[in-house]
Amino acid sequence: MKDIAVIGTGYVGLVVAVGLADLGNRVTGVDIDDVKIAMLNEGELPFYEPGLKDYLEANIESGRLDFTRDIAAAVVKSSVVFLAVGTPPRRDGSANLEYLESSIDAVAEHAPSRTLVVIKSTVPVGTSRALGERIRSRRSAAGIEVVSNPEFLREGRAVQDFFHPDRVVIGAESEWAREILAGIYSALRLNEVPFVCCDMETAELIKYATNAFLATKITFINQMASLADKVGADIALIAKSMGMDGRIGEKFLHPGPGFGGSCLPKDIRALASTGDSFDVHMSLVKSVIAANEELKTRVVMRLKELLGTRIRGLSIAVLGLAFKSNTDDVRESPALRVVADLLEEGAFVRAHDPQAMDNFRAVFPDISYCASGHEAMKGADALVILTEWNEYRSLDFNLMSKVMKGRILLDMRNVLNSRLAREHGFVYRGNGRVIKELIQSR
Ligand code: UDX
């Protein structure tokens, strides 16, 4: 059992704090946000994440987990400090390390002489080493060591990902540091999780390389889906067969309106910017960024094609505002672009999302928010599905044909049964699965 401080209680920090407490450590989570700290100490989550609340409550109850604003008090009693504060993008795409640096300065001031500092935040290559030097420049004690231990948690599956990661990456300089961190995660070894031990720069780049590759894979299948639409091919079969090739793999080949979220878009911009600063033109990564932006704008273009160009004054039901299902996060969600484009075109938007409406309302306060998907489609001329929530898979076509004014369905996540939709008289368009007859009749 170790005394651990986790600085930053966002998605990553909170899941890590709760997970480490559950592995038997005494953990103090630290954040600058008073309201958040009060909520967390009451066992309340500041965001939606399936399964996390039960772990939060159970570990607070066991006495192994608490939260404070007082970074000094948390650091002084800990032998290991995890840093999981945000590294938001600057205007040029590079990562802003301000929060990380101020946390490191507090650690340098208050940490006991032998402390391990674990960088969980996603940071540009070279940052962990630079942070170690920053500590050493502030105090003479050489006993504080920095390691890089990137996180691969997915929102919506974060608890599962913490306890069953595909791998644990440890970028450390000394055997002492490696052993401490490996010891903390040793319970995961029972699940045969592989540990990758390497230098700090490699660990930092593993994270960016992984996210950039995932973003590329998604963008590839999204562009393929656009082409499949034009030529009358079936993207589901294309993706499935591609995935059967062991060199490719079946995951992350589901077409959608473009990738979003707090990590992929931010990380690939930061990677491109790191490339620039080292004089390496990351042209592939840059194309993915541009292609993803273009794909998001294609949603309203498709809708206009289906409606016959004019969209002004029409009522459009938008189902799904979160950047993916099982989260209330709307950061960089394609829905932000789609709703902005619809409003720009003069449409009325009737929106629904099972979890993300409050967060979306903060950006678009004036559109209509509806209590259910069926409510949103009342009187709508067209309906577009942007997020693959399970509840949208079972929309009632009979009810839809009664309440909707128009017959246009644009299903960007391919969640609806296209045959049933057509049988109920809808003009159905999926993403990359146009049927042959429709192509021939154009
Ligand atoms: C991502 C990484 O997966 C995770 O390892 C990292 O730690 C943080 O960033 P997350 O942002 O939670 O996780 O979302 P992810 O599940 O990766 O999805 C990202 C985006 O890609 C979403 O908008 C999602 O809808 C989209 N996506 C994903 C697709 O459109 N198709 C797919 O096949 C997969």
Side-chain angles (χ1 to χ4, degrees):
M1 180 198 275
K2 294 236 171 303
D3 284 299
I4 298 177
V6 178
I7 320 290
T9 60
Y11 278 100
V12 172
L14 185 56
V15 174
V16 167
V18 168
L20 292 174
D22 207 70
L23 293 180
N25 301 288
R26 266 192 305 266
V27 181
T28 304
V30 182
D31 208 288
I32 48 171
D33 185 335
D34 278 326
V35 179
K36 217 173 177 188
I37 292 297
M39 278 178 86
L40 290 169
N41 277 324
E42 290 296 314
E44 293 297 327
L45 287 179
F47 50 79
Y48 174 73
E49 179 62 41
L52 187 57
K53 191 170 159 48
D54 291 346
Y55 276 93
L56 176 70
E57 283 171 352
N59 284 286
I60 291 175
E61 204 138 295
S62 74
R64 286 195 304 272
L65 179 63
D66 65 353
F67 297 90
T68 178
R69 245 199 78 112
D70 189 346
I71 188 164
V75 166
V76 94
K77 63 176 185 190
S78 300
S79 57
V80 183
V81 179
F82 280 75
L83 292 188
V85 294
T87 52
R90 290 204 196 90
R91 207 179 275 263
D92 65 357
S94 66
N96 179 353
L97 303 178
E98 220 175 286
Y99 303 118
L100 206 51
E101 287 168 354
S102 60
S103 311
I104 271 287
D105 292 348
V107 172
E109 194 177 335
H110 303 289
S113 54
R114 200 75 176 120
T115 301
L116 186 67
V117 179
V118 186
I119 310 297
K120 271 276 168 211
S121 309
T122 301
V123 291
V125 64
T127 305
S128 302
R129 191 174 298 281
L131 292 174
E133 276 155 21
R134 192 176 171 107
I135 294 179
R136 280 187 289 279
S137 73
R138 276 168 170 66
R139 66 186 263 181
S140 50
I144 303 182
E145 214 175 303
V146 173
V147 296
S148 165
N149 173 221
E151 197 46 74
F152 301 94
L153 302 174
R154 286 163 294 181
E155 290 178 26
R157 299 179 57 110
V159 176
Q160 150 94 3
D161 283 351
F162 181 85
F163 290 112
H164 304 276
D166 288 337
R167 74 301 208 187
V168 172
V169 175
I170 300 177
E173 294 286 286
S174 78
E175 201 47 44
W176 173 77
R178 259 189 296 278
E179 266 174 24
I180 296 208
L181 207 50
I184 288 173
Y185 288 122
S186 60
L188 302 180
R189 276 205 196 271
L190 299 176
N191 303 332
E192 300 191 355
V193 173
F195 283 34
V196 179
C197 292
C198 54
D199 57 83
M200 293 192 276
E201 286 72 17
T202 304
E204 290 167 337
L205 216 44
I206 286 172
K207 169 72 187 213
Y208 281 106
T210 304
N211 275 357
F213 196 83
L214 292 173
T216 308
K217 206 171 173 188
I218 301 164
T219 305
F220 181 88
I221 206 68
N222 281 342
Q223 287 194 337
M224 273 298 164
S226 300
L227 188 57
D229 262 339
K230 297 284 179 198
V231 302
D234 181 344
I235 197 65
L237 282 177
I238 295 169
K240 197 170 173 196
S241 311
M242 280 175 68
M244 285 170 183
D245 190 319
R247 295 166 300 178
I248 297 174
E250 62 184 0
K251 294 184 178 146
F252 269 66
L253 286 177
H254 303 289
F259 63 81
S262 68
C263 294
L264 261 43
K266 163 177 87 69
D267 291 354
I268 58 169
R269 281 185 212 121
L271 183 60
S273 152
T274 302
D276 286 346
S277 57
F278 284 91
D279 238 358
V280 177
H281 184 214
M282 304 292 283
S283 57
L284 181 57
V285 170
K286 287 182 181 174
S287 314
V288 169
I289 299 169
N292 192 51
E293 287 311 311
E294 203 253 340
L295 280 159
K296 288 193 268 181
T297 63
R298 284 181 56 88
V299 178
V300 171
M301 280 162 60
R302 284 191 203 204
L303 212 46
K304 275 164 79 177
E305 264 172 43
L306 288 167
L307 286 159
T309 70
R310 205 185 58 91
I311 221 168
R312 177 161 300 279
L314 298 186
S315 169
I316 311 294
V318 175
L319 267 53
L321 304 172
F323 78 97
K324 64 174 185 177
S325 60
N326 296 318
T327 180
D328 62 356
D329 198 345
V330 301
R331 284 176 288 177
E332 306 248 10
S333 174
L336 295 168
R337 175 79 266 148
V338 172
V339 168
D341 289 353
L342 285 172
L343 295 178
E344 172 87 26
E345 295 280 343
F348 298 104
V349 176
R350 294 178 61 77
H352 173 260
D353 188 285
Q355 294 292 338
M357 289 202 283
D358 286 346
N359 286 336
F360 208 82
R361 197 180 272 116
V363 190
F364 290 103
D366 297 327
I367 60 172
S368 300
Y369 291 92
C370 306
S372 68
H374 287 121
E375 183 65 32
M377 60 187 80
K378 276 191 186 156
D381 295 281
L383 174 143
V384 53
I385 297 181
L386 297 178
T387 315
E388 72 287 18
W389 287 100
N390 271 342
E391 66 180 71
Y392 299 151
R393 293 177 199 276
S394 52
L395 291 175
D396 180 340
F397 288 114
N398 282 323
L399 188 62
M400 283 165 78
S401 44
K402 284 195 195 106
V403 299
M404 272 181 74
K405 190 163 148 225
R407 286 290 169 269
I408 307 258
L409 301 184
L410 176 57
D411 177 6
M412 292 304 296
R413 297 279 188 172
N414 292 341
V415 295
L416 296 179
N417 182 320
S418 55
R419 188 184 46 80
L420 273 184
R422 291 196 178 97
E423 279 172 16
H424 282 81
F426 286 99
V427 177
Y428 174 87
R429 288 290 192 285
N431 189 358
R433 51 177 188 169
V434 168
I435 54 169
K436 287 269 182 315
E437 308 89 85
L438 290 171
I439 292 279
Q440 280 153 9
S441 68
R442 275 183 193 164

